PDB file of all heavy atoms in Angstrom:
ATOM      1  N   ILE A   1     187.815  75.292 123.138  1.00  0.00           N
ATOM      2  CA  ILE A   1     186.902  74.468 122.330  1.00  0.00           C
ATOM      3  C   ILE A   1     185.522  74.426 122.975  1.00  0.00           C
ATOM      4  O   ILE A   1     184.498  74.567 122.299  1.00  0.00           O
ATOM      5  CB  ILE A   1     187.480  73.044 122.163  1.00  0.00           C
ATOM      6  CG1 ILE A   1     188.712  73.068 121.254  1.00  0.00           C
ATOM      7  CG2 ILE A   1     186.414  72.108 121.600  1.00  0.00           C
ATOM      8  CD1 ILE A   1     189.391  71.718 121.123  1.00  0.00           C
ATOM      9  N   TRP A   2     185.509  74.239 124.295  1.00  0.00           N
ATOM     10  CA  TRP A   2     184.231  74.205 125.017  1.00  0.00           C
ATOM     11  C   TRP A   2     183.500  75.546 124.910  1.00  0.00           C
ATOM     12  O   TRP A   2     182.289  75.590 124.686  1.00  0.00           O
ATOM     13  CB  TRP A   2     184.494  73.853 126.476  1.00  0.00           C
ATOM     14  CG  TRP A   2     183.290  74.006 127.350  1.00  0.00           C
ATOM     15  CD1 TRP A   2     182.153  73.235 127.339  1.00  0.00           C
ATOM     16  CD2 TRP A   2     183.077  74.998 128.361  1.00  0.00           C
ATOM     17  NE1 TRP A   2     181.255  73.686 128.278  1.00  0.00           N
ATOM     18  CE2 TRP A   2     181.795  74.770 128.917  1.00  0.00           C
ATOM     19  CE3 TRP A   2     183.845  76.049 128.848  1.00  0.00           C
ATOM     20  CZ2 TRP A   2     181.273  75.566 129.924  1.00  0.00           C
ATOM     21  CZ3 TRP A   2     183.333  76.836 129.855  1.00  0.00           C
ATOM     22  CH2 TRP A   2     182.059  76.594 130.386  1.00  0.00           C
ATOM     23  N   LEU A   3     184.246  76.649 125.067  1.00  0.00           N
ATOM     24  CA  LEU A   3     183.631  77.968 125.007  1.00  0.00           C
ATOM     25  C   LEU A   3     183.151  78.309 123.600  1.00  0.00           C
ATOM     26  O   LEU A   3     182.031  78.801 123.404  1.00  0.00           O
ATOM     27  CB  LEU A   3     184.629  79.031 125.480  1.00  0.00           C
ATOM     28  CG  LEU A   3     184.996  79.022 126.961  1.00  0.00           C
ATOM     29  CD1 LEU A   3     186.125  80.009 127.227  1.00  0.00           C
ATOM     30  CD2 LEU A   3     183.784  79.386 127.812  1.00  0.00           C
ATOM     31  N   PHE A   4     183.997  78.056 122.615  1.00  0.00           N
ATOM     32  CA  PHE A   4     183.660  78.439 121.245  1.00  0.00           C
ATOM     33  C   PHE A   4     182.521  77.602 120.679  1.00  0.00           C
ATOM     34  O   PHE A   4     181.798  78.032 119.778  1.00  0.00           O
ATOM     35  CB  PHE A   4     184.888  78.329 120.352  1.00  0.00           C
ATOM     36  CG  PHE A   4     185.926  79.388 120.621  1.00  0.00           C
ATOM     37  CD1 PHE A   4     187.241  79.198 120.229  1.00  0.00           C
ATOM     38  CD2 PHE A   4     185.593  80.567 121.268  1.00  0.00           C
ATOM     39  CE1 PHE A   4     188.205  80.176 120.479  1.00  0.00           C
ATOM     40  CE2 PHE A   4     186.543  81.551 121.526  1.00  0.00           C
ATOM     41  CZ  PHE A   4     187.841  81.346 121.125  1.00  0.00           C
ATOM     42  N   HIS A   5     182.363  76.377 121.218  1.00  0.00           N
ATOM     43  CA  HIS A   5     181.252  75.531 120.771  1.00  0.00           C
ATOM     44  C   HIS A   5     179.903  76.178 121.086  1.00  0.00           C
ATOM     45  O   HIS A   5     178.922  75.964 120.358  1.00  0.00           O
ATOM     46  CB  HIS A   5     181.354  74.155 121.446  1.00  0.00           C
ATOM     47  CG  HIS A   5     180.223  73.231 121.111  1.00  0.00           C
ATOM     48  ND1 HIS A   5     180.068  72.678 119.853  1.00  0.00           N
ATOM     49  CD2 HIS A   5     179.181  72.758 121.870  1.00  0.00           C
ATOM     50  CE1 HIS A   5     178.981  71.909 119.846  1.00  0.00           C
ATOM     51  NE2 HIS A   5     178.437  71.939 121.051  1.00  0.00           N
ATOM     52  N   LYS A   6     179.854  76.982 122.148  1.00  0.00           N
ATOM     53  CA  LYS A   6     178.608  77.620 122.573  1.00  0.00           C
ATOM     54  C   LYS A   6     178.508  79.079 122.130  1.00  0.00           C
ATOM     55  O   LYS A   6     177.582  79.781 122.522  1.00  0.00           O
ATOM     56  CB  LYS A   6     178.482  77.552 124.096  1.00  0.00           C
ATOM     57  CG  LYS A   6     178.492  76.139 124.660  1.00  0.00           C
ATOM     58  CD  LYS A   6     178.334  76.166 126.168  1.00  0.00           C
ATOM     59  CE  LYS A   6     178.293  74.751 126.749  1.00  0.00           C
ATOM     60  NZ  LYS A   6     178.090  74.759 128.218  1.00  0.00           N
ATOM     61  N   THR A   7     179.459  79.536 121.340  1.00  0.00           N
ATOM     62  CA  THR A   7     179.543  80.956 121.012  1.00  0.00           C
ATOM     63  C   THR A   7     178.776  81.308 119.749  1.00  0.00           C
ATOM     64  O   THR A   7     178.852  80.596 118.743  1.00  0.00           O
ATOM     65  CB  THR A   7     181.026  81.373 120.844  1.00  0.00           C
ATOM     66  OG1 THR A   7     181.718  81.141 122.072  1.00  0.00           O
ATOM     67  CG2 THR A   7     181.139  82.839 120.470  1.00  0.00           C
ATOM     68  N   ASP A   8     178.057  82.400 119.818  1.00  0.00           N
ATOM     69  CA  ASP A   8     177.428  82.989 118.635  1.00  0.00           C
ATOM     70  C   ASP A   8     178.457  83.943 118.032  1.00  0.00           C
ATOM     71  O   ASP A   8     178.650  85.056 118.514  1.00  0.00           O
ATOM     72  CB  ASP A   8     176.164  83.748 119.043  1.00  0.00           C
ATOM     73  CG  ASP A   8     175.420  84.335 117.851  1.00  0.00           C
ATOM     74  OD1 ASP A   8     176.054  84.527 116.787  1.00  0.00           O
ATOM     75  OD2 ASP A   8     174.220  84.638 117.981  1.00  0.00           O
ATOM     76  N   TRP A   9     179.123  83.510 116.961  1.00  0.00           N
ATOM     77  CA  TRP A   9     180.237  84.278 116.434  1.00  0.00           C
ATOM     78  C   TRP A   9     179.817  85.638 115.897  1.00  0.00           C
ATOM     79  O   TRP A   9     180.562  86.615 116.008  1.00  0.00           O
ATOM     80  CB  TRP A   9     180.950  83.472 115.355  1.00  0.00           C
ATOM     81  CG  TRP A   9     181.723  82.333 115.940  1.00  0.00           C
ATOM     82  CD1 TRP A   9     181.324  81.034 116.060  1.00  0.00           C
ATOM     83  CD2 TRP A   9     183.021  82.408 116.530  1.00  0.00           C
ATOM     84  NE1 TRP A   9     182.289  80.283 116.686  1.00  0.00           N
ATOM     85  CE2 TRP A   9     183.347  81.093 116.974  1.00  0.00           C
ATOM     86  CE3 TRP A   9     183.937  83.430 116.718  1.00  0.00           C
ATOM     87  CZ2 TRP A   9     184.554  80.811 117.596  1.00  0.00           C
ATOM     88  CZ3 TRP A   9     185.146  83.148 117.330  1.00  0.00           C
ATOM     89  CH2 TRP A   9     185.439  81.853 117.768  1.00  0.00           C
ATOM     90  N   ALA A  10     178.634  85.695 115.323  1.00  0.00           N
ATOM     91  CA  ALA A  10     178.148  86.984 114.813  1.00  0.00           C
ATOM     92  C   ALA A  10     177.947  87.970 115.962  1.00  0.00           C
ATOM     93  O   ALA A  10     178.330  89.146 115.871  1.00  0.00           O
ATOM     94  CB  ALA A  10     176.848  86.781 114.041  1.00  0.00           C
ATOM     95  N   ALA A  11     177.365  87.484 117.056  1.00  0.00           N
ATOM     96  CA  ALA A  11     177.135  88.353 118.217  1.00  0.00           C
ATOM     97  C   ALA A  11     178.452  88.764 118.860  1.00  0.00           C
ATOM     98  O   ALA A  11     178.627  89.915 119.287  1.00  0.00           O
ATOM     99  CB  ALA A  11     176.253  87.632 119.235  1.00  0.00           C
ATOM    100  N   LEU A  12     179.414  87.826 118.925  1.00  0.00           N
ATOM    101  CA  LEU A  12     180.714  88.137 119.521  1.00  0.00           C
ATOM    102  C   LEU A  12     181.456  89.182 118.686  1.00  0.00           C
ATOM    103  O   LEU A  12     182.027  90.141 119.235  1.00  0.00           O
ATOM    104  CB  LEU A  12     181.551  86.867 119.626  1.00  0.00           C
ATOM    105  CG  LEU A  12     182.908  87.006 120.325  1.00  0.00           C
ATOM    106  CD1 LEU A  12     182.721  87.385 121.787  1.00  0.00           C
ATOM    107  CD2 LEU A  12     183.709  85.707 120.202  1.00  0.00           C
ATOM    108  N   THR A  13     181.413  89.005 117.375  1.00  0.00           N
ATOM    109  CA  THR A  13     182.059  89.973 116.489  1.00  0.00           C
ATOM    110  C   THR A  13     181.435  91.344 116.627  1.00  0.00           C
ATOM    111  O   THR A  13     182.133  92.365 116.657  1.00  0.00           O
ATOM    112  CB  THR A  13     181.963  89.499 115.031  1.00  0.00           C
ATOM    113  OG1 THR A  13     182.568  88.203 114.910  1.00  0.00           O
ATOM    114  CG2 THR A  13     182.666  90.464 114.092  1.00  0.00           C
ATOM    115  N   GLN A  14     180.109  91.378 116.721  1.00  0.00           N
ATOM    116  CA  GLN A  14     179.412  92.651 116.868  1.00  0.00           C
ATOM    117  C   GLN A  14     179.811  93.351 118.169  1.00  0.00           C
ATOM    118  O   GLN A  14     179.920  94.581 118.214  1.00  0.00           O
ATOM    119  CB  GLN A  14     177.890  92.410 116.830  1.00  0.00           C
ATOM    120  CG  GLN A  14     177.056  93.671 116.687  1.00  0.00           C
ATOM    121  CD  GLN A  14     177.286  94.386 115.374  1.00  0.00           C
ATOM    122  OE1 GLN A  14     177.702  93.783 114.390  1.00  0.00           O
ATOM    123  NE2 GLN A  14     177.034  95.691 115.365  1.00  0.00           N
ATOM    124  N   ARG A  15     180.034  92.566 119.202  1.00  0.00           N
ATOM    125  CA  ARG A  15     180.458  93.145 120.480  1.00  0.00           C
ATOM    126  C   ARG A  15     181.774  93.898 120.317  1.00  0.00           C
ATOM    127  O   ARG A  15     181.942  95.006 120.827  1.00  0.00           O
ATOM    128  CB  ARG A  15     180.637  92.039 121.519  1.00  0.00           C
ATOM    129  CG  ARG A  15     179.339  91.470 122.027  1.00  0.00           C
ATOM    130  CD  ARG A  15     178.749  92.362 123.106  1.00  0.00           C
ATOM    131  NE  ARG A  15     177.378  91.982 123.416  1.00  0.00           N
ATOM    132  CZ  ARG A  15     176.602  92.640 124.243  1.00  0.00           C
ATOM    133  NH1 ARG A  15     177.059  93.733 124.842  1.00  0.00           N
ATOM    134  NH2 ARG A  15     175.379  92.242 124.476  1.00  0.00           N
ATOM    135  N   PHE A  16     182.713  93.274 119.635  1.00  0.00           N
ATOM    136  CA  PHE A  16     184.014  93.901 119.463  1.00  0.00           C
ATOM    137  C   PHE A  16     183.947  95.115 118.540  1.00  0.00           C
ATOM    138  O   PHE A  16     184.678  96.086 118.735  1.00  0.00           O
ATOM    139  CB  PHE A  16     185.026  92.882 118.932  1.00  0.00           C
ATOM    140  CG  PHE A  16     185.519  91.931 119.978  1.00  0.00           C
ATOM    141  CD1 PHE A  16     185.229  90.579 119.907  1.00  0.00           C
ATOM    142  CD2 PHE A  16     186.277  92.384 121.050  1.00  0.00           C
ATOM    143  CE1 PHE A  16     185.689  89.695 120.874  1.00  0.00           C
ATOM    144  CE2 PHE A  16     186.740  91.517 122.025  1.00  0.00           C
ATOM    145  CZ  PHE A  16     186.438  90.174 121.938  1.00  0.00           C
ATOM    146  N   LEU A  17     183.073  95.059 117.540  1.00  0.00           N
ATOM    147  CA  LEU A  17     182.941  96.195 116.621  1.00  0.00           C
ATOM    148  C   LEU A  17     182.331  97.414 117.304  1.00  0.00           C
ATOM    149  O   LEU A  17     182.526  98.552 116.852  1.00  0.00           O
ATOM    150  CB  LEU A  17     182.086  95.796 115.411  1.00  0.00           C
ATOM    151  CG  LEU A  17     182.709  94.769 114.453  1.00  0.00           C
ATOM    152  CD1 LEU A  17     181.726  94.388 113.361  1.00  0.00           C
ATOM    153  CD2 LEU A  17     184.011  95.318 113.839  1.00  0.00           C
ATOM    154  N   GLN A  18     181.610  97.186 118.400  1.00  0.00           N
ATOM    155  CA  GLN A  18     180.937  98.281 119.089  1.00  0.00           C
ATOM    156  C   GLN A  18     181.685  98.745 120.350  1.00  0.00           C
ATOM    157  O   GLN A  18     181.132  99.456 121.173  1.00  0.00           O
ATOM    158  CB  GLN A  18     179.514  97.849 119.464  1.00  0.00           C
ATOM    159  CG  GLN A  18     178.609  97.616 118.260  1.00  0.00           C
ATOM    160  CD  GLN A  18     177.224  97.112 118.656  1.00  0.00           C
ATOM    161  OE1 GLN A  18     176.995  96.720 119.802  1.00  0.00           O
ATOM    162  NE2 GLN A  18     176.303  97.110 117.707  1.00  0.00           N
ATOM    163  N   ILE A  19     182.943  98.341 120.462  1.00  0.00           N
ATOM    164  CA  ILE A  19     183.734  98.753 121.634  1.00  0.00           C
ATOM    165  C   ILE A  19     183.838 100.275 121.680  1.00  0.00           C
ATOM    166  O   ILE A  19     184.085 100.932 120.668  1.00  0.00           O
ATOM    167  CB  ILE A  19     185.139  98.129 121.578  1.00  0.00           C
ATOM    168  CG1 ILE A  19     185.073  96.626 121.862  1.00  0.00           C
ATOM    169  CG2 ILE A  19     186.072  98.793 122.586  1.00  0.00           C
ATOM    170  CD1 ILE A  19     186.400  95.929 121.747  1.00  0.00           C
ATOM    171  N   ARG A  20     183.656 100.802 122.862  1.00  0.00           N
ATOM    172  CA  ARG A  20     183.833 102.244 123.067  1.00  0.00           C
ATOM    173  C   ARG A  20     185.308 102.499 123.334  1.00  0.00           C
ATOM    174  O   ARG A  20     185.812 102.223 124.430  1.00  0.00           O
ATOM    175  CB  ARG A  20     182.967 102.712 124.236  1.00  0.00           C
ATOM    176  CG  ARG A  20     181.472 102.414 124.011  1.00  0.00           C
ATOM    177  CD  ARG A  20     180.667 102.715 125.265  1.00  0.00           C
ATOM    178  NE  ARG A  20     179.268 102.348 125.094  1.00  0.00           N
ATOM    179  CZ  ARG A  20     178.353 102.441 126.052  1.00  0.00           C
ATOM    180  NH1 ARG A  20     178.704 102.881 127.257  1.00  0.00           N
ATOM    181  NH2 ARG A  20     177.095 102.098 125.815  1.00  0.00           N
ATOM    182  N   ILE A  21     185.981 103.056 122.354  1.00  0.00           N
ATOM    183  CA  ILE A  21     187.431 103.197 122.381  1.00  0.00           C
ATOM    184  C   ILE A  21     187.937 103.999 123.585  1.00  0.00           C
ATOM    185  O   ILE A  21     188.953 103.614 124.201  1.00  0.00           O
ATOM    186  CB  ILE A  21     187.940 103.818 121.064  1.00  0.00           C
ATOM    187  CG1 ILE A  21     187.553 102.905 119.881  1.00  0.00           C
ATOM    188  CG2 ILE A  21     189.444 104.018 121.105  1.00  0.00           C
ATOM    189  CD1 ILE A  21     188.134 101.516 119.968  1.00  0.00           C
ATOM    190  N   PRO A  22     187.309 105.127 123.969  1.00  0.00           N
ATOM    191  CA  PRO A  22     187.838 105.861 125.128  1.00  0.00           C
ATOM    192  C   PRO A  22     187.906 105.008 126.398  1.00  0.00           C
ATOM    193  O   PRO A  22     188.878 105.102 127.156  1.00  0.00           O
ATOM    194  CB  PRO A  22     186.845 107.022 125.278  1.00  0.00           C
ATOM    195  CG  PRO A  22     186.314 107.246 123.896  1.00  0.00           C
ATOM    196  CD  PRO A  22     186.218 105.869 123.319  1.00  0.00           C
ATOM    197  N   TRP A  23     186.892 104.170 126.627  1.00  0.00           N
ATOM    198  CA  TRP A  23     186.902 103.308 127.808  1.00  0.00           C
ATOM    199  C   TRP A  23     188.013 102.258 127.695  1.00  0.00           C
ATOM    200  O   TRP A  23     188.670 101.925 128.691  1.00  0.00           O
ATOM    201  CB  TRP A  23     185.557 102.617 127.978  1.00  0.00           C
ATOM    202  CG  TRP A  23     184.471 103.505 128.499  1.00  0.00           C
ATOM    203  CD1 TRP A  23     183.438 104.055 127.787  1.00  0.00           C
ATOM    204  CD2 TRP A  23     184.316 103.972 129.844  1.00  0.00           C
ATOM    205  NE1 TRP A  23     182.650 104.830 128.606  1.00  0.00           N
ATOM    206  CE2 TRP A  23     183.168 104.796 129.873  1.00  0.00           C
ATOM    207  CE3 TRP A  23     185.032 103.774 131.014  1.00  0.00           C
ATOM    208  CZ2 TRP A  23     182.720 105.404 131.039  1.00  0.00           C
ATOM    209  CZ3 TRP A  23     184.599 104.384 132.182  1.00  0.00           C
ATOM    210  CH2 TRP A  23     183.451 105.198 132.188  1.00  0.00           C
ATOM    211  N   PHE A  24     188.218 101.737 126.483  1.00  0.00           N
ATOM    212  CA  PHE A  24     189.271 100.745 126.272  1.00  0.00           C
ATOM    213  C   PHE A  24     190.649 101.350 126.524  1.00  0.00           C
ATOM    214  O   PHE A  24     191.504 100.730 127.173  1.00  0.00           O
ATOM    215  CB  PHE A  24     189.189 100.201 124.841  1.00  0.00           C
ATOM    216  CG  PHE A  24     190.270  99.218 124.506  1.00  0.00           C
ATOM    217  CD1 PHE A  24     190.339  97.984 125.126  1.00  0.00           C
ATOM    218  CD2 PHE A  24     191.238  99.536 123.561  1.00  0.00           C
ATOM    219  CE1 PHE A  24     191.341  97.078 124.823  1.00  0.00           C
ATOM    220  CE2 PHE A  24     192.245  98.641 123.254  1.00  0.00           C
ATOM    221  CZ  PHE A  24     192.295  97.413 123.877  1.00  0.00           C
TER     222      PHE A  24
END
């Protein structure tokens, strides 16, 4: 709750959409 209160959800989602699959 504390973390998500400060989270920019659009930016967080964009981070996951741009994951480099080979590194993962």
Side-chain angles (χ1 to χ4, degrees):
I1 290 176
W2 171 69
L3 291 172
F4 289 159
H5 177 70
K6 301 181 178 182
T7 299
D8 183 338
W9 288 96
L12 184 64
T13 302
Q14 192 64 24
R15 286 279 168 185
F16 283 114
L17 292 176
Q18 294 177 348
I19 288 177
R20 302 172 184 177
I21 300 300
W23 285 104
F24 177 66

